[in-house]
């Protein structure tokens, strides 16, 4: 059981409102300290709504942002932020919007050649052959190589994005909302492709999305993010079916499901707390139907048996009443 | 809002310092020693020595800069040797004339330019649009000094409707109608280019805005088309147009130099040209700094207007 | 590259400009070889000869020099100096801008401060100061003009570079192993190039004018060297008596700059990607209508809105996109009808066509009718349409940040919705606006009404859009994917709100979405659209439990459902057809595993199967319907 990824106390805070003289106006803690292990060959789903910090988190993992605290270990080696290229061979990123993540002024061939040339130092003949292999794997026709990004549909563009990532031969892929911009029928095609690739090449995925059903369909384990912290983590089969954290339950109840009648699960205002002025204690307590006194005073850590953890003092399977 | 104004004023201070520094550095490119440069044809050894002592011109460059700057801040811009009067007095007198000319031209270009742009956009591809586009193209292609000369030829010489040159009649009073008669041609000639630029930009800003979703919402609400254009679209387009107006003010000021030459208007532009040709260094320095400073202040006004218009700008 | 030139010269004005410029440039280059008189030889006896005289086509100037010859040499000089200044300014300015934009941080700050200070001068002052320091002369004027324009390029290019540097493909390049220099040259520069060219096309004209201006003032070219500006300057004193000495150089400048401006405009338009899709025009107040005939109204007299054979097309250049290819729909009072489909199915265009809100150009309603209140909305006079918009039939759109006016308070926008249909005083409209905010459950309604859209969250803005739609108590609300951009918890709230409001006020809702779960929870009936046509309609429960059309069935199967666990999804192979190249027969046939030969010819009509209209010859779970001969 090898570890693909080990995160130790990883966090990121941004300074806001820098002034010419004096202290900055505030600090936004985009990602609260996260400690997490990801096994080789697993798919960890990461779910959250806007403002939960998942984009910042994803960019931390590939070294595009420097962490404020903590460390990332990939395959046992710490990630060195000074050089994103060094880790391009180990961990790669599939972007949400396939069209804007490809340089509009380059042909597909030029885009595919870049990682082969710079990360692997391949010569021209080797590159051509490798590109053919990769395109066959993702079911793209080779005639696409001489076209420009704007000529492709969303689904094709996303396959190109995946092809580019395969060229780097990384074994860990961060997939940041890879199918959210796609039509539903194309979504299924790309998800199937990703599943095939994972099995064939023994890849490890971190699958970030706001779509609960999609995440549940592809993941082994799921982590739920709220306001910069992991509030629940557990097996995909269990997390939404039997959530422990009240926020996870709220998410699961809100998703429109055929056969479930329409009732708003939350009667109160659903505003996120102000990131510049975070509340004391648990960030979810203002919206939580199970809040107790302790929630105002302390910030909960992940607790529970080793299979399904929730950061809550009064989780759904506990016997304490609100 | 007052906080924002104060902030802008404070941030203008380093810009003003920068302006004085840039002007000083440029003028330091003048070959030869400063005293000789200033005195020009009056540069006898005794005069040079005298000037050096008076103005401290034999001091190192950085010292000279601070002396000059210090004097300016106290209102002493130096003495013009060609005209034999204090630089500041000359500048103030001439600048008011330029202000009348450039101010009128700016107001003309703002009003007509924006109106032309809006009508053009509302009427896209129609007759009005094509006509306006053609006139605008001519306007931005013609040198303003050439246009001025043509206007003099036509209106003053051939038709004799308007005076040939100057700001006021040589004989007779300098009352308002008289000034206006003298103002029409130079102001129009000056305004043409800027009006053209503003009209084009207003047109494309309007077209851009009219394609936005909130215009569709206004129509879906049942707002009348005229209101859609003048209340919804123009208001949003002004956010892009106002900065352009600020920049055009700079072009109008610049163009005033040519127009003042053509129409013999007693403004600061002519003063500067004469000063350059006569190598009256202190007058050039003082004039440039003064006008640039006024332009910086004007731009602050533009910024404040922009922030009043657009609530998304943090004040 | 070739398509750029094609696009450029399709624009006749730009082509004319290019031709004029080419002629002028060729003449300027050829000037030393042309049979011209010496431009510098003075002959005071021959001064001020009129044009079209013997030996002097354009006459002579105040020193007896031939004007035609001086014009040619002057043009040569003006063009050379103008272009040189433009290239120098563009190169230096762009380099500075790219470096500042790419590296950001402190160096960006310092560079832009200096640029700001330079731009704080009206350009002439800086030019005059430089010329004053260096002395009059053409080279010095060139330096002055180039220096003065460097900040303009620096600022513009820096702005674009900053935008590009934040794009994801730059991150991808870094992850692919490119260093800074390579990233700038191979990723950033190609994207910045069009902007540089566009900026140059605007400024070449200015720079020719500016250098001419400095020469006009006597600060540029010095005698005997003469460019067009100094010719004009020397001719000024002779203006009244001998205007031809001014007209000749002046008109030449005008011609050159106008040609450059026309060409520059053409270059700009050709490089602007939006022009390629023909989308640069502004929409008209109502969609254009161009029908052959008006269809008979439907038999359902209960319906509050009745759409019959609606056809809407987009005419872009020479392509015709049949976005809506014949829709029949009836909406009954108080019901919620869902329209479900993927992108390109025509669902949004259908909704917009109802009130003539499809952007025209390029949209045209080419057939069908929409009956409301016994009137046909298609082709109705603008006054009628406007009176119904927002009053009887209201819309809610997808992205409330883009659909609310950014510069007006939300309370004012709500009040406007009321006041454009009812003549009420402002205070009363404002009070109604606050009341509306309360009815969509916005807390602190009085103070919220004073907010601007960007100060509110996505869910709040959408509630305000709903409030705006409800303002005049309409009969029908058309909601175009109103919750697609919202978080799932917010979406649940909005859907519940819509449901409650509907039941309270008895209004009908047309709800457009791609999400079956939403349809199941909110809608009484659902219509499934594919490639511009309805393929199935029926009660929601029936359609979802027992889909009759193969597309509906496969679409339901390929969407993961919460609680379904981990599984492989049954994807639909292929892509939907492009609506400008629709195949014969069934549009879904290429992707359907049940297709037969009959499916690919003729027009498949809606037929009843299991009591619902289905556009299929072999619907699921039903006996096959033989196609009539």
């Amino acid at each position: 059981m090898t570890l693909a990824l080990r995160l130790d106390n990883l966090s990121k805070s941004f300074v806001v409102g820098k002034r010419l003289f004096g202290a900055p106006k505030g600090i936004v803690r985009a990602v609260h300290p996260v400690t997490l292990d990801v096994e080789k060959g697993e798919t960890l789903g990461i779910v959250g709504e806007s403002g939960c910090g998942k984009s910042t988190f994803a960019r931390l993992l590939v070294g595009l942002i420097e962490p404020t605290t903590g460390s990332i270990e990939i395959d046992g080696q710490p990630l060195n932020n000074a050089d994103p290229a060094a880790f391009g061979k180990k961990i790669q990123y599939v972007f949400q919007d396939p069209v804007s993540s490809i340089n509009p002024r380059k042909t597909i061939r030029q885009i595919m050649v870049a990682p082969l040339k710079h990360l692997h130092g391949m010569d021209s003949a080797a590159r051509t052959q490798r590109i053919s292999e990769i395109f066959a794997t993702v079911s793209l026709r080779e005639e696409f190589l001489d076209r420009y990004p704007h000529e492709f549909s969303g689904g094709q563009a996303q396959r190109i994005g995946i092809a580019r990532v395969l060229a780097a031969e990384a074994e860990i892929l961060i997939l940041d909302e890879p199918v959210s911009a796609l039509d539903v029928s194309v979504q299924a095609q790309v998800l199937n492709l990703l599943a095939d690739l994972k099995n064939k090449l023994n890849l490890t995925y971190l699958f970030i999305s706001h779509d609960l059903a999609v995440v549940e369909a592809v993941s082994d384990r799921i982590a739920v993010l709220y306001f910069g912290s992991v509030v629940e983590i557990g097996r995909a089969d269990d997390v939404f079916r039997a959530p422990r954290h009240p926020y996870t339950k709220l998410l699961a109840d809100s998703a429109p499901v055929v056969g479930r009648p329409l009732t708003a699960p939350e009667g109160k205002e659903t505003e996120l707390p102000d990131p510049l002025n975070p509340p004391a204690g648990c960030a979810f307590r203002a919206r939580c139907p199970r809040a107790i006194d302790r929630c105002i005073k302390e910030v909960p850590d992940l607790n529970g048996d080793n299979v399904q953890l929730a950061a809550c003092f009064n989780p759904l399977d506990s016997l304490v009443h609100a | 809002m007052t906080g924002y104004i104060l902030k802008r004023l404070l941030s203008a201070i380093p810009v003003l310092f920068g302006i004085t520094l840039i002007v000083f550095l440029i003028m330091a490119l003048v070959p030869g020693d400063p005293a000789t440069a200033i005195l020009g044809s009056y540069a006898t050894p005794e005069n040079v020595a005298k000037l050096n002592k008076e103005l401290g011109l034999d001091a190192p460059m950085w010292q000279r800069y601070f002396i000059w700057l210090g004097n300016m801040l106290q209102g002493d811009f130096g003495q013009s040797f060609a005209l034999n009067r204090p630089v500041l007095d000359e500048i103030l007198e001439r600048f008011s004339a330029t202000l009348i000319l450039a101010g009128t031209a700016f107001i003309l270009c703002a009003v007509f330019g924006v109106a032309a742009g809006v009508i053009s956009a509302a009427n896209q591809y129609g007759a009005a649009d094509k006509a306006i586009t053609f006139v605008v193209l001519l306007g931005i292609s013609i040198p303003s000094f050439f246009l001025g000369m043509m206007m003099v030829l036509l209106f003053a010489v051939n038709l004799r409707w308007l005076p040939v040159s100057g700001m006021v009649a040589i004989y007779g009073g300098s009352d308002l109608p008289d000034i206006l008669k003298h103002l029409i041609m130079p102001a129009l000639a000056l305004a043409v280019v800027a009006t053209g630029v503003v009209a084009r930009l207003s047109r494309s800003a309007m077209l851009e805005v009219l394609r936005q979703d909130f215009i569709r919402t206004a129509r879906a609400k049942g707002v009348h088309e005229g209101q859609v254009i003048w209340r919804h679209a123009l208001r949003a387009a002004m956010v892009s147009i106002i900065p352009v107006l600020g920049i055009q003010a700079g072009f109008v000021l610049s163009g005033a130099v040519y127009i003042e030459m053509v129409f013999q208007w007693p403004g600061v532009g002519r003063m500067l040209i004469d000063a350059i040709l006569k190598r009256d260094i202190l007058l050039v320095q003082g004039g440039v700094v003064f006008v640039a400073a006024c332009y910086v202040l004007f731009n602050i006004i533009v910024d404040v207007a922009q922030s009043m218009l657009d609530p998304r700008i943090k004040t | 590259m070739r398509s750029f030139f094609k696009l450029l010269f399709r624009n006749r004005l730009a082509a004319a400009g290019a031709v004029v410029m080419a002629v002028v440039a060729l003449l300027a280059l050829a000037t030393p070889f042309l049979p011209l008189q010496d431009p510098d030889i003075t002959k005071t006896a021959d001064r001020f000869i009129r044009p079209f005289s013997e030996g002097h086509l354009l006459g002579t100037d105040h020193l007896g020099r031939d004007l035609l010859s001086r014009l040619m040499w002057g043009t040569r000089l003006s063009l050379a100096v103008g272009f040189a200044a433009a290239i120098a300014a563009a190169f230096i300015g762009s380099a500075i801008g790219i470096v500042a934009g790419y590296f950001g941080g402190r160096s960006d700050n310092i560079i832009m401060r200096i640029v700001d200070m330079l731009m704080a001068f009206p350009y002439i002052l800086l030019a005059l100061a430089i010329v004053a320091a260096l002395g009059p002369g053409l080279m010095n004027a060139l330096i002055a003009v180039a220096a003065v324009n460097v900040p303009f390029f620096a600022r513009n290019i820096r702005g674009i570079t900053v935008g590009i540097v934040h794009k994801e493909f730059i991150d991808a390049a870094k992850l692919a192993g490119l260093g800074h220099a390579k990233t700038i040259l191979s990723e950033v520069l190609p994207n910045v190039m069009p902007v540089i060219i566009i900026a140059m096309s605007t400024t070449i004209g200015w720079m020719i004018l500016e250098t001419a201006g400095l020469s006009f003032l006597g600060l540029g070219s010095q005698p005997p060297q003469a460019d067009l500006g100094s010719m004009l300057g020397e001719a000024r004193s002779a203006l009244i008596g001998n205007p031809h000495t001014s007209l000749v150089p002046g008109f030449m400048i005008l011609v050159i700059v106008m040609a450059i401006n026309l060409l520059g405009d053409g270059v700009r338009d050709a490089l602007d990607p939006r022009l390629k899709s023909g989308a640069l025009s502004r929409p008209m107040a109502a969609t254009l209508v161009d029908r052959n005939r008006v269809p008979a109204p439907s038999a359902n007299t209960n319906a509050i809105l009745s759409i019959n054979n609606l056809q809407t097309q987009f005419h872009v250049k020479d392509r015709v996109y049949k976005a809506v290819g014949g829709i029949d729909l009836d909406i009954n009072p108080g019901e919620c009808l869902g329209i479900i489909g993927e992108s390109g199915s025509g669902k949004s265009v259908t909704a917009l066509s109802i009130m003539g809100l499809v952007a025209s150009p390029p949209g045209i309603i080419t057939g069908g009718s929409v009956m409301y209140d016994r009137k046909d909305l298609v082709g109705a006079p603008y006054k009628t349409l406007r009176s119904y918009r927002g009053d009887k039939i209201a819309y809610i759109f997808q992205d409330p940040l883009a659909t609310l006016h950014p510069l007006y308070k939300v309370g004012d926008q709500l009040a406007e919705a009321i006041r454009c249909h009812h003549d009420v005083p402002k205070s009363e409209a404002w009070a109604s606006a606050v009341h509306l905010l309360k009815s969509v459950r916005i807390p602190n309604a009085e103070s919220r009404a004073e907010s601007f859209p960007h100060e509110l969250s996505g869910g709040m803005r959408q509630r305000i859009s709903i409030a705006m739609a409800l303002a005049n108590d309409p009969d029908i609300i058309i909601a175009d994917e109103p919750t697609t951009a919202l978080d799932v918890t917010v979406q649940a709230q909005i859907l519940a709100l819509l449901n409650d409001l509907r039941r309270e006020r008895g209004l009908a809702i047309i709800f457009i979405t791609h999400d079956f779960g939403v349809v199941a929870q909110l809608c009484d009936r659902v219509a499934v659209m594919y490639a511009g046509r309805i393929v199935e309609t029926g009660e929601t429960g029936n359609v979802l439990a027992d889909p009759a059309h193969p597309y509906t069935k496969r679409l339901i199967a390929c969407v993961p459902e919460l609680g379904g666990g981990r599984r492989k999804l049954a994807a639909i192979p292929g892509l939907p057809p492009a609506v400008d190249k629709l195949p014969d027969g069934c549009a879904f046939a290429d992707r359907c595993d049940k297709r037969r030969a009959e499916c690919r010819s003729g027009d498949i009509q809606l037929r009843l199967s299991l009591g619902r209209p289905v556009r299929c010859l072999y619907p699921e779970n039903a006996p096959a319907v033989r196609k009539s001969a």
Side-chain angles (χ1 to χ4, degrees), chain C residues 235-252:
Chain C
R236 189 161 62 89
S237 41
L239 176 64
I240 297 176
N242 297 285
H244 69 279
T245 47
S246 320
L247 287 169
V248 166
F251 271 110
M252 192 59 176

Side-chain angles (χ1 to χ4, degrees), chain A residues 49-50 59 92 101 103 105-106 118-119 164 183-185 189 192 213 216-217 219-220 256 260 266 269 271, chain C residues 169 171 175-176 178 186-187 190-191 342-343 443 457 487-489 491 493 521 559-560 563 565-566 569 572 574:
Chain A
E49 300 183 299
S50 42
R59 293 167 70 88
Q92 275 285 343
S101 67
N103 189 336
R105 305 231 160 243
K106 299 206 139 177
H118 295 110
L119 288 178
R164 174 173 59 184
D183 261 332
V184 156
S185 58
Q189 294 173 6
N192 287 344
E216 196 199 45
S219 311
D220 299 308
R260 182 158 64 198
E266 207 172 306
E269 187 57 47
E271 295 300 297
Chain C
F169 62 83
D171 290 335
L175 287 172
L178 272 73
S186 73
E187 305 281 330
N191 282 290
E342 298 180 279
S343 52
S457 71
D487 281 326
V488 69
T489 50
Q491 173 176 279
Q493 300 240 315
Q521 289 189 321
V559 177
R566 204 146 60 95
L569 300 163
I572 309 179

Side-chain angles (χ1 to χ4, degrees), chain B residues 14-15 17-20 22-23 26-31 121-125 134 137-138 140-146 149-150 152-153 157 164 197 200 207-208 210-227 229 231-233 235-237 239 247 250-251 253-255 257-258 261-264 269 272-273 276-277 279 281 284 287-289 291-292 295-296 299 309-313, chain C residues 114 116-126 128-136 155 202 206 209-210 212-214 216-219 229 232 235-236 239-240 243 246-251 253-254 257-259 261-262 265 268 274 279-286 352 357 382 386 388-391 393-395 397-399 402-408 412-414 416-417 420-421 452 454-455 468 472 480:
Chain B
V15 177
F17 271 114
I19 287 178
T20 56
I22 291 175
V23 172
I26 292 179
M27 297 315 281
L29 290 168
V30 174
N123 195 305
Q124 194 184 19
Y125 302 137
F134 178 68
L137 180 65
L138 268 180
I140 61 174
S141 309
I142 198 166
S144 59
F145 39 95
F146 181 55
M149 286 162 73
M150 293 299 104
V152 166
L153 205 54
V157 177
V164 170
V197 176
R200 284 182 131 202
L207 286 178
E208 189 68 44
L210 283 169
R211 294 210 319 265
Q212 301 286 324
D213 282 348
F214 60 83
I215 297 295
R216 183 178 63 180
T217 306
R219 291 195 176 118
K221 273 182 358 187
V223 175
H224 195 281
E225 190 64 12
Q227 293 257 309
I229 298 212
R231 237 176 74 88
H232 287 247
R235 183 83 194 276
V239 170
I247 298 176
F251 277 103
L253 258 182
S254 302
V257 171
Y258 303 117
M261 291 301 278
V262 170
F263 287 90
Q264 307 288 334
L272 280 174
I273 305 296
I276 292 177
L277 290 171
R279 305 293 259 170
I281 304 289
V284 174
V288 171
V289 168
V291 177
Y295 182 51
V296 167
N299 270 317
L309 187 69
D310 188 349
R312 293 170 294 186
I313 298 178
Chain C
I114 299 178
D116 283 343
M117 279 182 218
L118 287 171
M119 290 192 86
F121 289 85
Y123 79 86
I124 194 98
L125 292 183
L126 212 49
L128 288 179
I130 295 177
V131 169
L134 298 175
R155 189 186 271 179
T202 8
W206 295 349
L209 281 175
E210 284 169 25
L214 284 176
F216 173 78
L217 295 171
L219 302 172
L232 202 50
R236 189 161 62 89
L239 176 64
I240 297 176
S246 320
L247 287 169
V248 166
F251 271 110
I253 300 179
L254 174 60
V257 178
M258 197 143 84
N261 279 332
L262 279 173
D265 282 351
R268 238 190 329 276
R274 288 170 300 180
L280 217 45
S281 320
R282 68 168 205 88
M284 310 287 288
L352 292 173
L357 287 174
Y382 175 65
R386 189 181 82 78
Y388 286 147
R389 284 176 179 174
D391 192 29
I393 302 180
Y395 279 82
F397 295 107
Q398 179 172 352
D399 177 8
T403 55
L404 290 174
H405 198 294
L407 306 178
Y408 287 119
D412 284 329
Q413 298 189 47
L414 282 170
E416 183 187 37
C420 60
H421 292 284
F452 291 96
H454 66 278
E455 297 170 344
M468 225 153 63
N472 298 307
D480 188 357

Side-chain angles (χ1 to χ4, degrees), chain B residues 72 75 100 177 180:
Chain B
M72 263 205 304
I100 295 176
L180 279 176

Side-chain angles (χ1 to χ4, degrees), chain C residues 1-19 21-22 197-198 201 259-273 275-276 317:
Chain C
M1 206 52 197
R2 264 183 41 216
S3 65
F4 163 74
F5 278 112
K6 245 179 31 185
L7 204 58
L8 176 62
F9 290 114
R10 191 181 294 202
N11 180 346
R12 280 199 298 261
L13 287 175
V19 165
M21 262 325 288
I197 295 181
I198 288 177
S201 71
I260 288 183
N261 279 332
L262 279 173
L263 186 57
D265 282 351
V267 164
R268 238 190 329 276
D269 286 344
L271 282 176
D272 188 337
L275 185 72
K276 294 204 183 101
K317 298 207 189 114

Side-chain angles (χ1 to χ4, degrees), chain C residues 414-425:
Chain C
L414 282 170
E416 183 187 37
I418 301 172
R419 291 186 76 214
C420 60
H421 292 284
H422 305 287
D423 195 7
V424 297

